Amino acid sequence: MSTDDSGTAETELVDLLERLGFRQYEAQTLISLSRLGTGTAKDIARVSDVPRTRVYDAVDALHERGLVDVQYTTPKKFTIVSRETLVRKLNVERERTIDEISDLLEGLGAEETTQEQFGVWTVTGKTAVAERITGFLEDTDEKVVLMTTDDLLTDEQLDALAAAHERGVDIYLAGISETVQQRIQSEVPSA
């Protein structure tokens, strides 16, 4: 790996670690220790942009997270846990955070939502549009008026149309090509 590749990888690592809640100096210290294996604050400051006085704060935070071990010698030496342990601990932290978010969202309680959504809603991106249409088809219980083009009609939508028909939903086709109409009517003849 060239120096440029190494610098790019380090920048990406810092960004990713910051997204996981690390402060910049913590991320840089962790990366430096990953390179060094074991080092003093002076060693870490030498191979990173972290001021020596800030290395101690960063190491304390990393030590609290169980990612760095401290050897109380003069001067203190710091050792990073194995990469496998590091990744496992980060994954456990991430899962714990997601579980907490889920519990808190559940604790908020659901407001009464209305079934009909009035107004104009915008969805962008082919995948997002396809998923939204499929969701509408799965949720409807009375009538569907479908306008689409062949390149936007998905197999999931055809399955959802067939399921809606089986539930007794009336299906109307409007402003579509003969090819699309034939494709839909092969699955739902009464459409």
Side-chain angles (χ1 to χ4, degrees):
M1 182 183 288
S2 71
T3 306
D4 288 344
D5 292 342
S6 177
T8 301
E10 184 172 326
T11 300
E12 288 180 39
L13 270 170
V14 169
D15 290 342
L16 290 169
L17 288 167
E18 285 178 341
R19 287 191 349 207
L20 288 175
F22 288 81
R23 291 191 168 91
Q24 183 177 6
Y25 286 156
E26 294 167 2
Q28 289 174 322
T29 298
L30 189 65
I31 293 165
S32 297
L33 272 175
S34 181
R35 284 188 177 143
L36 294 169
T38 298
T40 63
K42 182 179 180 180
D43 298 331
I44 294 168
R46 180 177 43 82
V47 298
S48 70
D49 292 331
V50 181
R52 186 174 171 181
T53 56
R54 299 299 306 272
V55 168
Y56 292 105
D57 295 333
V59 166
D60 286 344
L62 295 170
H63 181 67
E64 284 180 32
R65 289 176 102 155
L67 304 176
V68 171
D69 294 326
V70 179
Q71 184 179 11
Y72 292 96
T73 58
T74 305
K76 287 183 184 178
K77 291 184 181 176
F78 312 109
T79 304
I80 190 168
V81 297
S82 70
R83 288 186 183 173
E84 295 80 17
T85 300
L86 173 71
V87 170
R88 184 177 42 76
K89 285 182 177 280
L90 292 176
N91 197 38
V92 166
E93 282 184 27
R94 181 190 55 81
E95 287 176 2
R96 194 175 296 137
T97 300
I98 291 170
D99 289 343
E100 287 177 34
I101 290 169
S102 176
D103 291 345
L104 290 170
L105 286 172
E106 180 112 2
L108 291 176
E111 277 191 34
E112 196 63 35
T113 57
T114 59
Q115 290 292 1
E116 283 189 61
Q117 297 179 1
F118 296 101
V120 176
W121 295 80
T122 302
V123 180
T124 58
K126 189 173 181 177
T127 302
V129 170
E131 289 174 356
R132 182 63 62 93
I133 291 170
T134 301
F136 285 144
L137 295 172
E138 290 171 346
D139 291 342
T140 190
D141 57 6
E142 290 181 32
K143 174 173 59 172
V144 170
V145 178
L146 182 64
M147 297 174 68
T148 189
T149 61
D150 194 39
D151 61 324
L152 294 178
L153 183 64
T154 66
D155 291 337
E156 290 80 12
Q157 291 169 5
L158 286 171
D159 292 343
L161 277 169
H165 174 69
E166 289 176 16
R167 292 192 311 272
V169 173
D170 294 326
I171 300 170
Y172 299 94
L173 306 176
I176 59 174
S177 70
E178 190 174 318
T179 306
V180 174
Q181 182 174 347
Q182 289 173 355
R183 190 170 167 208
I184 291 171
Q185 287 181 325
S186 71
E187 294 292 322
V188 185
S190 65

